[in-house]
Amino acid sequence: MDFGLTEEHEMVRKMVRDFAQKEVKPTIKDWDIRQEMDPKVLPRMGELGILGICIPVRYGGQGMDYISLGLACEELEAVDTTLRVVMSVHMGLNSMALLQWGTEDQKQRFLAPQAKGEKIAAFGLTEPGAGSDVASMNSTAKRDGDEYVINGEKMWISLATKADHFLWVAVTDPEAQDPHEGMTAFVVEAERDGVTSGDIHDKMGVRAGSTGWVNCQSVRVPVENRLGEEGEGFRIAMSCLDNGRYTVAAGATGLIRASLEASVTYANERTTFGRPISRHQLVQQKIARMVKDYEAARLLYLRAGWMKNQGQRNTRETSLAKWYATDASFEAASEAVQVHGAYGYSAEYDVERYLRNSKGAVIYEGTSEIHTLIQAGYALEMRKDAGLRCELPAYDPEAWQSEPETAAAH
Amino acid sequence: MNIVVCVKQTPDTAATVTVEGGQVSWGDSPLVLNPWDEYAVEEALRTKEAHGGKVSAVSMGPESAKDALKQALAMGCDEAILISDEALEAADSLATSHVLVAAIGKLDSPELVFFGKASVDSASGVTFAQTARLLGQPLLSQVAGVTSIDPDSATITVERLLPEGREVVESSMPAVVSVTKEINEPRYPSFMGIRKASKAEIPTWGAGDLGMDSVPKAKVDWPEIFAIQQEATSCEVIEGETPEAMAAKLADRLLEEKVI
Amino acid sequence: MAGNIVVYIDHVRGDAPPASWEAIGAGVELKAELGGGLKAVVLGKDVKALAKQALTYGVDEALFGEDDRLEDFRSEAYANALHGQLGEADVVLFPDSARTRDLAGMLTVDLDTGLITDITGLEITGGDLFATRPIYAGKLMSKARVIEARPALITLRSRTFSAPEATGGGEPTRIEVDPGEALTSVVELKPSEGGVSLTDAAVIVSGGRGVSNNPSLEPPSDITDEKEIEIWRAHQGFKLVQDLAGVLGGAVGASRAAVDAGYIPYSHQVGQTGKVVSPDLYIAAGISGAIQHLAGMRTAKTIVAVNTDPDAPIFKLARFGVVEDLYKILPPLTEALRKRLGK
């Protein structure tokens, strides 16, 4: 078992790290205070290919593997969570779902421009009244000829006001015996008549990002925009979460690392009672705990990424990685504030931002409570993974890196 | 145009560097492409993008220097060559220049050879001058901007950054160019570049491959390396009857201590 | 080792930096230990005066080679002209500069010898001349020597050695030099625009919260809002900081407190969340020295603190401290330095 990262992975990690540290870190605190997203971030991530990192070249992506996605998320969130949130919704929840479930036509129409960063993608599942209880959602999609008419409001949508394409889940069969069989997934373009959106401010964290609501008022989308079959919506949404959660797990790992590095630096500089606080055992304990959590979180997400590369179903492993890393990142950030004392409580240092950012991750993409039940379910065999009609493609370097065939135009 | 860029692998500038028993160590910190050389690689790539041709990255160093060359490949260089030989371990900058000149001789008559300003470890900053002299080619050093290159008339015009201002200089090609960090912003490797670089085979040339029967002996050695003792600073409080007197005394002290 | 020492007088069109005379100082010290002769050599278009000046610093002989083709410093031309003059030398000392590194680099090829650059110390041990120089950005030092080759070419870091007293005299000796073909030509020299970047500056003068603290400073009558008055006062304080920086050729920095209070833009902020700097000289005016600020400038070679509070943490890091109001100290300090630096 080789626990080392390949040379390629190391170079990917360094590239994303250099970008985040050099171009985002210097001003991120200001954007956080202003509760605005730096307008340079999305175009730059698109330019550098990060928005298409693990999508095959023939679909406009960079042809790297799923571990590269995880490594990129770790480096992005080590600077600020909002950078990783972009990857979670644009790549994890939306683009990878298109890769997994989309028709060839949908991949060309939606996935390719997304992977190139020409279009920004987001995910519309959560509603004001439906979070953990997905099946209780209200949004509807009624078939009318060769179109669907979509109504409903989604909330807590990252990149709500920035995205061009939403992966929207709505109820197509309100009469269904099992509401889980009555939902369908669609791609809704933001420019369609009836689509409106707005920003939500004053969140505790992730303030340098864009979170908002999206409303569909009699929005008509062609049948060609339906992702998968009618009734598959819930299953598709859950498989989206397998990928979104993976990015959250990797990102939270980066947050633990950032908390650890900040704490080590500060502990070596600050002196109390005649010595650097790094010499005090209770401070050492906090740092040791962060190391433990970082290493464990890292191995968990890398394993999930490896399984995705192999084409293995990884719902359980990804849920475990997300749960572990996010809980640990909240703890690590809190302890990092503690290590910094009063300075940690002030915005002068970064650690209070880490803490505020970390709290969101234990709520979204499956609350820690939901993951607790998921893991118990697997352990007690009350829960089993049903097969999926479409699996996330395994990583195939040759196939993914070959240029699009210049066959006759479609 | 055929372009060569000479690079070196050095410890990361953030590394804690220590010495024990004459051996320098940088702990777990990674070895990287010399930061000054990134600007040289970038300028070489931009020159190729403007005028067509090929960029070859060359480095003299141990086997690990292949990682620095891979970084250069990932940024977009077309090929990379490592020159490595036991006999070169104690080489000084003049010996290094002889070796680089032999290597350049084996590459298709480059019109331009780029260097960074200095390496962050030994920082002698003379290899490019020696290389130019050995090649008998014009030296363009401290280059902060390339104003124009005309491959047809084989001329190049650059701006050199000097303390007294920007000197605009013209010369013929082939020429040796050493660049400063004002010249450009080095690109990140692209993902495609990373893929190509990780798959690339980097040939290693020894002295024999360069057609050198013997390697020039180093004329400089450095038998002692030590760490500087950190003195505890005690603050010298400047006193005076009036603020003007204090100011005058401070000015004098600063000049006496050669602070300015 | 034998002791024929040559000192190369570096200059830009007849204007020699103090480092050239410091190099003679180093030569004088070496001569005392080695015996032998001490010559100065200078090349250019009109450089007899420079050679004469070298003699006042105590060299035995000052050689000058003049040629129109040497008017602008061109490394190939100067190397062509110089290498024939160094046959008898054991050691050639250069003040360190980009020019002399290029020149000395080329001479190593012409003379097949060794070059050690940017040295901060010279000593003779066991018959060998050792040059101490910083490596790894000054984190370590090495002692290097030229072996089995002559002459040893050495460039000396400026402000390390002292120029001797200018008490000597004599007449310089003209030498014939052949610069040969120039390989590059100067089209023009665009003078510097000024404005030093904070991270590159060798000298930084920073202002802190204290710059606004001058209650006796009356604002213009149209400024009545308390906050606006505070900022106006701060701007006056930063003008003093700028003046001092100007006379030292340095950049202006600020503490986070000053930036947060709106006294000066964020681009000037020095500190853990601003820029990390490592200048030769850092003058902190009205800055208390919070750990966040110290993290951004603690590696400065020399720190000078000006603060009315004698217990301010910054004094613990400072080499020189003045416990006085910056409004009272900065103007006379600027003047005193202006006089002494001849600006």
Side-chain angles (χ1 to χ4, degrees), chain A residues 26 29-30 265-266 269-270 347-349, chain C residues 256 266 272-273 290-293 295 298:
Chain A
K29 192 183 300 217
D30 291 330
T265 303
Y266 190 79
E269 279 175 3
R270 173 81 177 183
E348 198 175 317
Y349 284 81
Chain C
R256 184 187 160 136
Y266 173 78
Q272 200 171 58
T273 54
I291 195 173
Q292 199 264 16
H293 187 77
R298 70 182 325 126

Side-chain angles (χ1 to χ4, degrees), chain A residues 318-352:
Chain A
T318 302
S319 147
L320 190 60
K322 189 266 182 192
W323 179 33
Y324 186 89
T326 52
D327 275 357
S329 73
F330 182 53
E331 172 81 24
S334 177
E335 290 288 53
V337 170
Q338 197 72 4
V339 167
H340 283 68
Y343 287 100
Y345 203 61
S346 124
E348 198 175 317
Y349 284 81
D350 295 326
V351 290
E352 61 83 33

Side-chain angles (χ1 to χ4, degrees), chain A residues 7-8 11 14-15 18-19 23 44 48-49 53 62 64 401, chain B residues 38 67 70-71 74 188-192 194-195 197-199:
Chain A
E7 204 169 48
E8 199 170 289
M11 286 199 265
K14 177 172 164 31
M15 184 270 212
D18 285 346
F19 155 67
E23 296 189 35
R44 202 61 188 119
L48 293 173
I53 187 171
Q62 300 295 318
M64 309 303 278
Q401 289 167 18
Chain B
E38 281 182 42
D67 288 340
K70 292 222 163 168
Q71 189 71 5
Y188 303 111
S190 66
F191 291 113
M192 186 165 82
I194 288 173
R195 281 202 307 271
S198 67
K199 292 196 194 103

